[in-house]
Structure formats: structure tokens, C-alpha cells
Amino acid sequence: MEQQEQIARFAKALGHPTRIAILNFLARQESCYFGDIHDELPIAKATVSQHLKELKDAGLIQGEIETPKVKYCINRENWEIARQLFAQFFCDYASKKGACCE
């Protein structure tokens, strides 16, 4: 049940195109990103803050306030956990023979 809750938390965080765009941007960075993500992506500042909070609450990113900027990074440990959970979830059901609705 804990794994189901965790994968659902990750899936909810990944369930918005803006969050995917933020994760894509952060994943392409060589190191943690210092700056305002809304300067890099065509997204309003308030919207970015809301989506960053969702991603951080799900554990997919890490962030620290270092005045005057904020530092954001992919949470590599949880990123790997999410990858494994989704891979296992899809693999378990992909290996079933036949279609259930036929």
C-alpha cells in the first residue's frame, strides 16, 4: 500500500504539463539551477511557484532559498525511486497475455 501511495503522489505531481516542462528544464541542467524559472520558461511567476511547491511536496525536486535567488534541483534519489516504481508498475501489467476486454 505504501508503494501505491508513493506512485500516486509522483503521478499526481507529473499530471500537469507545466510541471513536466519544469522537470525537463531542471533535468537538463548540469547542476542545481540558481535563478527564477519563470525567466526561462513562458510561465507566470505565481504559477511557477505553485507548480514548484507541488513538485517539491512530491519529493521530485529540492529547493533552497539563498537570497536573493532560489536554488532548485532534481531530487535524484526520489527521481530513481519514481523511475523504478513506474517501470515495475508498467512492466507488471505489460507482461499479461491477452486483452481483458476481448
Side-chain angles (χ1 to χ4, degrees):
M1 189 60 130
E2 183 179 326
Q3 284 186 340
Q4 291 170 333
E5 289 175 7
Q6 193 168 29
I7 197 170
R9 193 167 39 254
F10 290 144
K12 181 181 177 198
L14 294 170
H16 195 286
T18 299
R19 293 184 204 135
I20 298 297
I22 291 168
L23 288 171
N24 281 334
F25 173 75
L26 291 175
R28 288 191 311 264
Q29 304 304 308
E30 292 295 320
S31 60
C32 289
Y33 177 73
F34 287 89
D36 294 322
I37 291 176
H38 74 276
D39 289 341
E40 301 295 326
L41 300 173
I43 305 165
K45 190 173 188 174
T47 304
V48 169
S49 295
Q50 177 186 358
H51 289 300
L52 288 169
K53 181 183 181 324
E54 290 290 329
L55 291 168
K56 190 172 179 182
D57 288 349
L60 292 171
I61 65 169
Q62 306 174 131
E64 296 177 16
I65 296 172
E66 294 186 7
T67 306
K69 299 287 185 183
V70 179
K71 172 176 80 171
Y72 291 103
C73 301
I74 295 292
N75 182 321
R76 299 290 176 195
E77 182 179 334
N78 285 343
W79 191 265
E80 179 59 20
I81 291 169
R83 189 194 66 74
Q84 289 176 7
L85 286 172
F86 281 110
Q88 180 181 355
F89 177 78
F90 287 116
C91 184
D92 286 350
Y93 295 104
S95 64
K96 303 284 187 208
K97 300 283 186 210
C100 65
C101 297
E102 290 181 0

